[in-house]
Amino acid sequence: MRILLVEDHVELSHWVSKALRDAKLTVECAATGADADALLHTQDYALVILDLTLPKMDGLDVLRRLRARGGARGGTPVLILTARGGLEDRVQGLNLGADDYLPKPFELAELEARVKALLRRRSGNEALVHECGGLRFDTVSRMFTICGEALALTPREHAVLEALIARPGRALSKEKLFDEVFALADDVNLDAIELYIHRIRKKLDKFPDARAMIVTLRGIGYLMQERPD
């Protein structure tokens, strides 16, 4: 899942983005409100983590403009993360459509927990575990297991497999998977998805008792389903 982190403090941005990437999330960063607003006009994100005190455009203005667009993109969940923790700022942010509000300073564990909760809520599925043919994904620990054993995955393999198991039986286009796995700054092309699908299949094949499989639908994309008898 791809997250936009809007934070002008360089060290804090680096620290938070590293923690989220360690949690197998794809993170893009914007240092100004204007940059964030431009990205939110053209890109789809699973979540926005938004500071309020930003150069070039205040965070509340970014939020206001996002919600005014409407549609799926305008409904992107927003977690406000700011030193402006006064009651008036919290009320204004929530009234403008923020989904959660975490004042600075904060504990990283709490931020990660709130991010995970918002991502589950966004999917429209509060289930804590996704399963398919012996493959399980725990949305709280963000760990994959297969036939009771931990499945070792690189962060990008993890992102691809998470996108597929969260929508079993539904085809995802190569473009959709690409958007969930890679940030705009990544120097890769669309064909990289085929490489990660190939690698994941090889890892799944090491567990013959598992029935989870990734199906290629030519011209459409990929889907996860149980292997038929």
Side-chain angles (χ1 to χ4, degrees):
M1 291 186 175
R2 190 167 60 151
I3 290 176
L4 178 62
L5 172 63
V6 189
E7 172 60 62
D8 65 329
H9 190 289
V10 176
E11 291 183 2
L12 179 59
S13 177
H14 175 76
W15 178 59
V16 172
S17 60
K18 181 181 184 303
L20 294 174
R21 290 182 180 117
D22 288 344
K24 307 298 191 299
L25 295 166
T26 300
V27 183
E28 290 181 5
C29 299
T32 73
D35 288 344
D37 185 59
L39 287 169
L40 291 168
H41 263 98
T42 59
Q43 302 297 314
D44 293 320
Y45 297 96
L47 175 69
V48 181
I49 300 176
L50 179 65
D51 189 13
L52 294 187
T53 306
L54 295 166
K56 298 187 179 179
M57 184 184 296
D58 186 78
L60 289 176
D61 289 329
V62 173
L63 176 59
R64 185 181 293 108
R65 290 165 65 91
L66 174 65
R67 293 295 183 243
R69 288 177 203 128
R73 190 170 287 165
T76 303
V78 174
L79 168 62
I80 292 178
L81 184 67
T82 181
R84 284 160 52 179
L87 178 61
E88 183 177 347
D89 288 313
R90 292 200 304 271
V91 169
Q92 188 175 9
L94 294 170
N95 283 340
L96 286 173
D99 298 270
D100 202 354
Y101 200 111
L102 184 60
K104 300 175 183 175
F106 59 92
E107 293 292 336
L108 191 56
E110 182 178 4
L111 173 63
E112 291 180 359
R114 293 188 184 217
V115 165
K116 291 173 184 177
L118 287 172
L119 292 176
R120 288 196 302 272
R121 191 185 310 165
R122 174 187 181 270
S123 70
N125 183 0
E126 292 289 345
L128 298 180
V129 176
H130 298 299
E131 298 184 74
C132 181
L135 178 67
R136 291 167 52 93
F137 176 61
D138 187 314
T139 63
V140 176
S141 67
R142 300 194 56 77
M143 294 288 293
F144 276 99
T145 57
I146 184 165
C147 297
E149 297 184 34
L151 182 61
L153 299 164
T154 67
R156 286 175 175 169
E157 290 168 357
H158 189 286
V160 170
L161 195 55
E162 180 182 350
L164 292 170
I165 199 171
R167 308 167 180 88
R170 289 174 50 193
L172 290 181
S173 68
K174 188 186 294 186
E175 291 79 8
K176 176 63 175 175
L177 285 171
F178 187 90
D179 287 343
E180 295 211 15
V181 173
F182 296 102
L184 290 175
D186 291 332
D187 186 18
V188 291
N189 60 40
L190 198 59
D191 291 337
I193 292 298
E194 295 180 10
L195 172 64
Y196 290 109
I197 292 289
H198 174 72
R199 290 178 178 175
I200 294 168
R201 281 175 171 153
K202 288 183 66 175
K203 292 183 177 183
L204 295 179
D205 287 344
K206 293 179 180 178
F207 298 86
D209 291 338
R211 299 179 61 189
M213 63 182 296
I214 299 173
V215 178
T216 300
L217 301 176
R218 298 295 178 187
I220 299 175
Y222 305 93
L223 65 82
M224 172 156 281
Q225 66 178 32
E226 288 196 21
R227 185 178 290 109
D229 293 330

